[in-house]
Amino acid sequence: MSETYDILIAGGGVAGLTAAAAFGTEGRRVLCVDRAPADAGTRDTRTTAFLMPAIDLLKDAGVWPLLDGETEALDIMRLIDAGGKMNEAREIGDFAAREITDSPFGWNVPNAAMRMALTTRIGQLSNVTLMHETAVDALTLRRDTAIAHLSSGTTARARLVIGADGRDSAVRDLAGIDARRWSYGQKGLVFTVTHEESHRNVSTEIHRTGGPFTLVPMPDRDGMHRSSVVWMEQAGEADRLAALPDDAFSDVLNERSLGVLGALTPASPRAAWPIISLIAGRLTGPRVALIAEAAHVVPPIGAQGLNMSLGDIAALMTATAGEDPGHPAGLTQYQKRWRELAARVAGVDALNRAAQAEWQPLRDLRRLGLGTLIRLRPAKHMAMRLGLGVR
């Protein structure tokens, strides 16, 4: 005999766990199944810059108070163009949160700390069940319910199935939804550094070739200033960098950072991640909704990826607020988000291609675009609001 839930969530990454906490706090009976073991998130060395709309969702879900001491405010987004013949800043643009809001843009949080907080919050909710090492193997989608056949050999009924199971989403495939995917021949190196100078809550993105080099503030620890680094390069170069001895890597790292925070010292292992983009053909099917990387993937530029994902959750909660979360009317409402997501994927794609540029005239054009945006205040403020996901 199968259990019956309001919502079944496939995927136990940050997005899937956030959806479980958010819908559970709302009072829904939720089952979240995750293919990975319970300790998988402890090995994630990445951080995520959560922008204000995402923070609001995390507060409403009861998660944000559990992150005390793990967050660092982002007051300024600094873009530096270093695309000249010399490896030096040619144009610097500061986008300060105080120009459009009384709050920071958001806060940077280690992914492992966020997963721990989410798991703790879910443990506080008696109406939410989290099952690890369990996947959705098959779906039977009926007019009034969905029946999920799980890898554990059991079945679960739900009025709505949420696919939060990543770029290779099984739920997306089982629902018959296609997706367009493309790559850039890039990888992103992710690691933590300590540095001589305080970051002063400034997130710095340096553009030269291959992709942006980004320093994102982290809280000081043991008297050391810290930031997380996302360093995008062509895949071959990224692999070469990842394999360098520590001393040689430190030399290249400090050359690439332009010394903006003084000397950088790597403080964690390096992890390399392939960079792709993806957009699902639809966000919904009968009794199914896609969120996060099951619906869209973008390169790590402007903190868009996971913030778009949490935006999906907020939009889906609004659209499915009635008694039946999988009712066709609610899913039709959520489907309207697809156009905005497709536009964001296209926009980040264009920014990444510009960041990759090696041909000097294109690099000069990138500098011109940044300079124009800095000096045209209305356009600058519009870009900042669009980046935050607000109008």
Side-chain angles (χ1 to χ4, degrees):
M1 183 174 178
S2 63
E3 290 282 331
T4 300
Y5 300 87
D6 294 316
I7 295 172
L8 182 143
I9 300 167
V14 171
L17 294 176
T18 300
F23 279 105
T25 300
E26 193 179 54
R28 303 287 194 184
R29 188 165 188 238
V30 178
L31 171 63
C32 180
V33 298
D34 185 17
R35 186 184 297 274
D39 64 350
T42 63
R43 298 188 291 272
D44 192 340
T45 60
R46 296 170 295 173
T47 67
T48 297
F50 289 91
L51 305 180
M52 276 309 302
I55 301 297
D56 291 339
L57 176 67
L58 292 166
K59 287 179 178 177
D60 290 343
V63 177
W64 194 249
L66 303 174
L67 286 162
D68 186 45
E70 294 287 356
T71 67
E72 189 69 9
L74 305 175
D75 293 327
I76 294 175
M77 303 292 192
R78 177 169 293 158
L79 298 183
I80 298 178
D81 180 86
K85 294 181 180 179
M86 303 296 293
N87 183 37
E88 59 187 22
R90 302 191 300 174
E91 194 81 61
I92 301 175
D94 279 359
F95 298 79
R98 65 177 180 273
E99 295 184 41
I100 61 170
T101 178
D102 294 331
S103 303
F105 284 119
W107 281 263
N108 194 36
V109 185
N111 284 12
M114 177 58 75
R115 288 177 66 116
M116 183 177 296
L118 287 163
T119 302
T120 298
R121 176 54 181 157
I122 288 170
Q124 297 170 349
L125 297 167
S126 61
N127 53 321
V128 179
T129 301
L130 175 59
M131 297 173 58
H132 290 284
E133 299 183 67
T134 306
V136 175
D137 283 346
L139 278 176
T140 302
L141 302 174
R142 296 179 176 171
R143 183 179 61 83
D144 59 349
T145 192
I147 303 172
H149 305 267
L150 306 179
S151 59
S152 60
T154 61
T155 61
R157 291 175 176 267
R159 291 191 287 182
L160 175 64
V161 175
I162 297 177
D165 49 344
R167 57 189 67 182
D168 298 316
S169 171
V171 168
R172 188 180 66 222
D173 291 343
L174 292 168
I177 300 173
D178 63 355
R180 186 168 69 92
R181 177 193 312 233
W182 60 100
S183 67
Y184 304 90
Q186 289 172 298
K187 288 185 178 179
L189 287 177
V190 183
F191 53 98
T192 300
V193 294
T194 59
H195 38 87
E196 292 179 319
E197 300 175 17
S198 171
H199 51 59
R200 301 182 184 275
N201 300 111
V202 178
S203 179
T204 303
E205 195 171 278
I206 303 170
H207 293 258
R208 185 160 173 79
T209 61
F213 175 98
T214 307
L215 289 154
V216 190
M218 294 178 68
D220 290 353
R221 185 156 294 170
D222 299 325
M224 303 292 291
H225 303 307
R226 300 189 307 150
S227 293
S228 63
V229 175
V230 181
W231 184 355
M232 291 166 60
E233 283 287 359
Q234 296 302 111
E237 176 64 4
D239 289 339
R240 185 187 74 83
L241 292 169
L244 283 176
D246 290 345
D247 288 347
F249 182 74
S250 291
D251 290 342
V252 180
L253 167 67
N254 280 283
E255 180 183 14
R256 185 65 173 86
S257 72
L258 304 181
V260 294
L261 294 176
L264 305 182
T265 302
S268 76
R270 306 161 219 164
W273 301 83
I275 304 300
I276 71 161
S277 283
L278 177 149
I279 183 71
R282 291 183 55 82
L283 298 181
T284 62
R287 297 283 157 183
V288 170
L290 303 180
I291 67 169
E293 290 199 342
H296 50 77
V297 181
V298 293
I301 294 178
Q304 291 300 295
L306 196 48
N307 285 281
M308 289 167 62
S309 300
L310 269 61
D312 296 342
I313 297 167
L316 184 59
M317 291 179 72
T318 298
T320 61
E323 180 179 351
D324 179 359
H327 191 279
L331 294 178
T332 297
Q333 180 65 31
Y334 178 59
Q335 174 60 33
K336 294 178 181 178
R337 180 170 170 78
W338 185 89
R339 288 184 180 275
E340 176 187 344
L341 291 172
R344 284 184 175 273
V345 170
V348 177
D349 171 78
L351 288 173
N352 188 45
R353 293 183 188 279
Q356 282 186 280
E358 296 187 6
W359 190 39
Q360 191 60 52
L362 288 179
R363 290 157 68 176
D364 293 340
L365 184 62
R366 182 181 65 203
R367 175 192 182 182
L368 177 63
L370 174 59
T372 301
L373 186 61
I374 294 167
R375 293 168 184 82
L376 290 178
R377 189 173 296 271
K380 177 183 179 183
H381 290 176
M382 181 181 295
M384 291 162 73
R385 290 190 177 94
L386 287 172
L388 285 171
V390 298
R391 293 175 175 82

